[in-house]
Amino acid sequence: MMNIPIFELERVQSLFENTVDYNLTESGFHPYTLNELLDKEQIDALTHTVLGYGQTNGSIPLRKRISALYNGSSEENVLVTNGSAEANFIACHTLLEKGDEVVMMVPNYMQIWGIAEEMGCVPKAFHLREENNWKPDLAELKSLVTPKTKMITVCNPNNPTGYTLTIDEMEEIVAIAKNVDAWVYCDEVYRGAELNGKTIESFIGMYDKVMVNGGLSKAYALPGLRLGWLIGPENLIADTWAYHDYTSITAGIMSHYIGEIALRPEKRQEILTRNRTMLNENLIAVKEWLNQYGDLFEYVAPKSGGMLFVKYNLDINSSELAEWLRKEKSVFILAGDCYGMDHHFRIGIGERKDYILAGLERVKEALTERFGL
């Protein structure tokens, strides 16, 4: 008997995103090819790489590049993982024990909720409020936190709303955690994908019981590298490495090499600028498409991230709508049900613009055929 719930969001994507003509729900950016990312000399060096294990917690050059993104951090504050998903798994098993309470921002990437349940912890939700432009309900957070709360977990920038916390909101979350000596764990995998071009502050440095994740899959458009990381206090990162020895042992040696290049300041800026430009252009195009339907679609424009979370005013369940579009028009959107929010869906806005618009044209056909719109 399986003790962990099916991770609905990931399972649905894995089943369908590669079997449709148009995947409109990609959560990152159109990925780079090696030829686009690397110069000839670097590619040549790559072909001479010895395919060994390397340093299992991450090569020193890579960890130095990562630590440079966080105030007051060194390579000893970094564990390199196979994607930020492994980082989340390791963080939970390092920080939490059976019976601990975990208070989690919702909507969110729901992996940590499932892990907490599997561990025998008690997950509780505090909400971003759509009616307040997705601002967090910090009064609700305060009311849910108890002496049993071991971790407050947030996603900033947020998946799927694109909301970014203000410094005041971050400070209040830290104050609430301090009050009960809880950890703040922040999924920061979309840090670097801000529409205004200004990278937001990390939670690192705001409190001594903070751990964050990051990775190259989302803001950096390099999901195939499966390269993520954890940042936290040195003694705690040593503990996470011990768990990492029991999970994947190490990320791939090629990913270490390519990831270090991607995070060199000039190359990093080039990558982020490319992706932010796509995001801004695509958001304008998708908003225009949605707006043609008047009040059928409602949305709060994201401040960051690779997606737009849309509310729709049709008498159909979101999973039903997604399945119908997939079967009838070979278009995949992610149902709001995956976040526990019916009558919403997620559109990825980090893809190529012509691809997104062609997929939306199929959706338009479907809305005309079924609803006469």
Side-chain angles (χ1 to χ4, degrees):
M1 182 181 169
M2 195 167 74
N3 292 321
I4 194 163
I6 293 288
F7 188 5
E8 203 67 40
L9 188 151
E10 280 297 342
R11 181 59 58 89
V12 167
Q13 288 182 106
S14 297
L15 285 171
F16 302 131
E17 64 187 359
N18 296 308
T19 60
V20 292
D21 294 342
Y22 294 99
N23 173 20
L24 288 187
T25 200
E26 175 54 52
S27 58
F29 294 90
H30 184 62
Y32 277 87
T33 66
L34 282 179
N35 278 329
E36 289 168 333
L37 187 71
L38 305 180
D39 63 32
K40 285 181 181 176
E41 193 179 315
Q42 290 164 342
I43 289 173
D44 186 54
L46 197 59
T47 64
H48 291 88
T49 302
V50 176
L51 297 177
Y53 281 104
Q55 189 161 333
T56 61
N57 65 332
S59 72
I60 291 171
L62 175 60
R63 286 187 291 125
K64 282 185 171 175
R65 292 283 179 207
I66 293 167
S67 68
L69 306 176
Y70 302 89
N71 292 333
S73 296
S74 76
E75 65 270 26
E76 301 304 322
N77 299 107
V78 182
L79 175 77
V80 176
T81 61
N82 276 275
S84 56
E86 188 193 19
N88 287 339
F89 188 89
I90 290 171
C92 288
H93 281 82
T94 305
L95 295 176
L96 300 174
E97 294 176 1
K98 185 176 180 178
D100 287 341
E101 290 178 357
V102 178
V103 185
M104 182 173 180
M105 175 188 280
V106 171
N108 205 324
Y109 185 67
M110 296 303 286
Q111 182 195 13
I112 288 174
W113 190 282
I115 295 168
E117 286 186 333
E118 175 264 332
M119 292 182 69
C121 300
V122 181
K124 301 175 176 180
F126 82 98
H127 295 83
L128 301 177
R129 299 294 180 191
E130 189 170 15
E131 63 272 22
N132 290 335
N133 294 329
W134 296 118
K135 281 182 175 292
D137 189 339
L138 297 182
E140 181 185 32
L141 171 62
K142 199 169 185 179
S143 73
L144 291 172
V145 165
T146 76
K148 286 188 175 180
T149 302
K150 189 70 173 288
M151 185 165 85
I152 295 169
T153 179
V154 299
C155 182
N156 186 46
N158 179 254
N159 173 354
T161 67
Y163 184 81
T164 55
L165 296 168
T166 66
I167 291 293
D168 286 349
E169 288 163 346
M170 292 168 74
E171 286 174 348
E172 190 167 345
I173 289 165
V174 165
I176 291 167
K178 274 184 179 174
N179 200 38
V180 292
D181 199 31
W183 283 88
V184 172
Y185 182 74
C186 187
D187 177 345
E188 295 183 349
V189 76
Y190 284 98
R191 185 169 175 247
E194 301 82 2
L195 277 105
N196 67 4
K198 295 176 184 172
T199 302
I200 61 166
E201 291 295 324
S202 171
F203 269 93
I204 290 295
M206 295 184 74
Y207 171 39
D208 58 0
K209 295 186 81 171
V210 167
M211 184 181 274
V212 307
N213 78 16
L216 298 184
S217 294
K218 303 305 180 187
Y220 294 87
L222 296 167
L225 294 183
R226 303 307 306 131
L227 201 71
W229 56 78
L230 285 170
I231 309 287
E234 194 174 320
N235 62 338
L236 192 73
I237 290 298
D239 291 343
T240 65
W241 188 4
Y243 266 100
H244 185 47
D245 287 339
Y246 281 95
T247 52
S248 69
I249 301 175
T250 182
I253 196 77
M254 306 283 255
S255 296
H256 281 81
Y257 173 82
I258 300 166
E260 188 276 324
I261 293 170
L263 289 175
R264 292 174 187 174
E266 198 173 307
K267 177 58 75 172
R268 177 176 176 269
Q269 201 51 54
E270 178 191 314
I271 292 169
L272 296 185
T273 300
R274 175 254 205 189
N275 294 341
R276 285 163 168 161
T277 301
M278 288 171 70
L279 197 61
N280 278 287
E281 289 178 0
N282 291 343
L283 180 58
I284 290 167
V286 173
K287 281 165 67 175
E288 281 177 3
W289 188 90
L290 293 168
N291 292 345
Q292 73 181 305
Y293 289 99
D295 59 3
L296 178 65
F297 299 116
E298 298 174 41
Y299 59 87
V300 178
K303 296 177 183 176
S304 189
M307 61 201 102
L308 183 63
F309 199 49
V310 181
K311 183 180 181 183
Y312 64 88
N313 297 306
L314 289 168
D315 190 19
I316 182 172
N317 165 261
S318 65
S319 296
E320 222 178 299
L321 177 64
E323 189 176 1
W324 170 65
L325 284 171
R326 181 177 58 81
K327 287 180 174 174
E328 292 299 316
K329 294 296 176 184
S330 197
V331 172
F332 182 42
I333 59 170
L334 192 71
D337 284 341
C338 290
Y339 296 98
M341 296 186 73
D342 193 11
H343 288 90
H344 290 76
F345 62 85
R346 189 183 86 186
I347 297 183
I349 53 173
E351 253 295 351
R352 295 147 297 173
K353 185 160 66 173
D354 57 348
Y355 178 90
I356 295 170
L357 291 176
L360 288 174
E361 195 55 38
R362 293 264 187 106
V363 176
K364 188 173 186 174
E365 288 170 18
L367 292 173
T368 301
E369 289 167 20
R370 179 154 181 174
F371 299 102
L373 297 166

